Amino acid sequence: MKTEDRNTVIDQLLILQGADNSGHGLDHVYRVLRLAREFAEELKDADRDTVELIALLHDADDYKLTGRKDGSLENAERILNLITITDGQKKKVLQGISTIGYSKRLSGITPDTPEAAIVSDADMCDASGITGVLRAYQYNMKFNAPFFDEDVMPMDEIDVGFYKSDLTTAVNHLFEKILRLKDLMLTEPGRREAVRRHEAVVSFLDAYFREQQVTEEWRKLLDKYR
Ligand code: ADP
Ligand code: NI
C-alpha cells in the first residue's frame, strides 16, 4: 500500500476514533495492525494490503463508537473510496470487516478468508493478556462499574443479548469473555499468542485473588482455566 494511502486512512481514523475511551481508540487499532502484520508474516497465502486495511478499518463502524446497530459499514466504505484500490479488493476488505467481532462470533458468524481470520485473531488477542485486563478496567471505569465484587459470580454461558446489554464487573468480564478467547483462534500464530495472553490473565487473577483473599469458590473457578 502506498504510504500516502495509509496516511489518508489514518487521518480519517484520527477524526473518528482519536478521542474514543470505550476501548476502541487508535491505540487499539495500531496494536491490532502490528499483531496482524506479525501473523501475516507467517501465513504466506494472505494478502498484506488487505490484512492492513481490514485491521485499520475493523472498528470504524463499531456500534459502541457510532451508536448504529444496523451493521452498515459507511465509515469504512467512505474511507476506502479516498484511496487507490480495486473494486475487488474493496469488496474483500468490507466483507472481511463484516465477519469480525466477538458478538458476531457468538451469533455464528466466522471469518472465511485468511486475511479476515488474521485480523480477527489479532483483535481478540488485544482483548486478552495484560492489555485486555487494562481495557476491561478502562471500559468499566467509563461506566462507573466496579472492578470486582466477590458476591457476584460470573455467568456460565453468555449469549449475544447478554453480552451487548449487561455491564458486569471487570473480573467477571475476564471469566465470561476473555478467558474463552483462546479457543476462538483461527490461525496458528494467533493460537500461540492467545495461549501466552491467556496465561498472563490467569497469572494476573491468581495474584489479584491472593491479595483480595477471595473465597474458595473463586479460586476453584480460576483453576478451571489453568
Ligand atoms: P472488540 O473490539 O475486541 O471486539 P468490544 O467491542 O466487545 O471488543 O469491547 C472493547 C473492549 O472493552 C474490549 O477489550 C472488551 O474486553 C472490553 N469490554 C467489553 N465489554 C465489557 C464489559 N462488560 N466489562 C469490561 N470490559 C468490557
Ligand atoms: Ni477491535
Side-chain angles (χ1 to χ4, degrees):
M1 189 176 4
K2 280 195 259 150
T3 309
E4 204 183 304
D5 281 342
R6 191 182 294 109
N7 288 342
T8 301
V9 174
I10 291 171
D11 283 348
Q12 292 296 316
L13 290 177
L14 264 171
I15 299 169
L16 272 178
Q17 284 168 261
D20 177 81
N21 60 356
S22 75
H24 291 103
L26 268 199
D27 57 328
H28 164 64
V29 172
Y30 285 138
R31 287 192 303 269
V32 171
L33 176 64
R34 281 197 294 265
L35 205 50
R37 272 188 192 140
E38 205 181 293
F39 295 166
E41 285 286 310
E42 254 183 72
L43 301 165
K44 300 294 177 208
D45 56 337
D47 175 66
R48 291 283 301 258
D49 283 353
T50 307
V51 169
E52 288 205 12
L53 286 170
I54 295 176
L56 284 165
L57 296 170
H58 83 275
D59 274 337
D61 291 279
D62 191 283
Y63 76 96
K64 283 178 183 147
L65 205 71
T66 61
R68 275 191 279 110
K69 290 194 179 186
D70 58 0
S72 72
L73 297 175
E74 351 182 313
N75 288 329
E77 248 182 295
R78 180 178 54 76
I79 294 170
L80 287 172
N81 285 335
L82 301 173
I83 66 172
T84 318
I85 185 172
T86 64
D87 282 350
Q89 198 184 9
K90 197 191 298 176
K91 223 174 127 187
K92 200 167 172 190
V93 171
L94 291 171
Q95 162 65 20
I97 295 170
S98 72
T99 61
I100 290 175
Y102 183 70
S103 24
K104 285 178 199 151
R105 192 70 74 86
L106 286 186
S107 56
I109 300 167
T110 306
D112 55 1
T113 62
E115 291 83 4
I118 286 172
V119 179
S120 172
D121 281 7
D123 189 35
M124 288 188 183
C125 278
D126 198 56
S128 187
I130 298 306
T131 304
V133 173
L134 292 171
R135 284 179 80 204
Y137 175 74
Q138 184 191 22
Y139 185 94
N140 274 27
M141 286 286 283
K142 184 182 156 128
F143 296 104
N144 290 315
F147 187 75
F148 179 51
D149 182 345
E150 194 176 52
D151 297 329
V152 185
M153 294 303 289
M155 313 246 297
D156 284 340
E157 290 294 333
I158 305 301
D159 64 27
V160 192
F162 174 84
Y163 181 67
K164 284 193 173 174
S165 68
D166 203 83
L167 190 61
T168 51
T169 65
V171 167
N172 283 4
H173 181 72
L174 298 179
F175 282 104
E176 288 160 352
K177 172 182 174 186
I178 308 305
L179 289 174
R180 295 159 195 249
L181 292 175
K182 75 169 172 31
D183 300 327
L184 301 181
M185 292 298 125
L186 302 168
T187 71
E188 223 14 72
R191 222 175 326 270
R192 254 186 280 124
E193 183 61 28
V195 168
R196 279 198 286 268
R197 288 176 187 235
H198 181 94
E199 286 165 3
V201 176
V202 170
S203 301
F204 166 82
L205 286 170
D206 193 47
Y208 185 70
F209 282 177
R210 219 172 330 107
E211 292 169 19
Q212 295 286 325
Q213 306 198 15
V214 296
T215 57
E216 189 63 21
E217 194 183 7
W218 281 97
R219 276 198 297 268
K220 284 213 174 108
L221 179 66
L222 181 57
D223 284 343
K224 288 193 199 161
Y225 292 90
R226 285 179 204 276

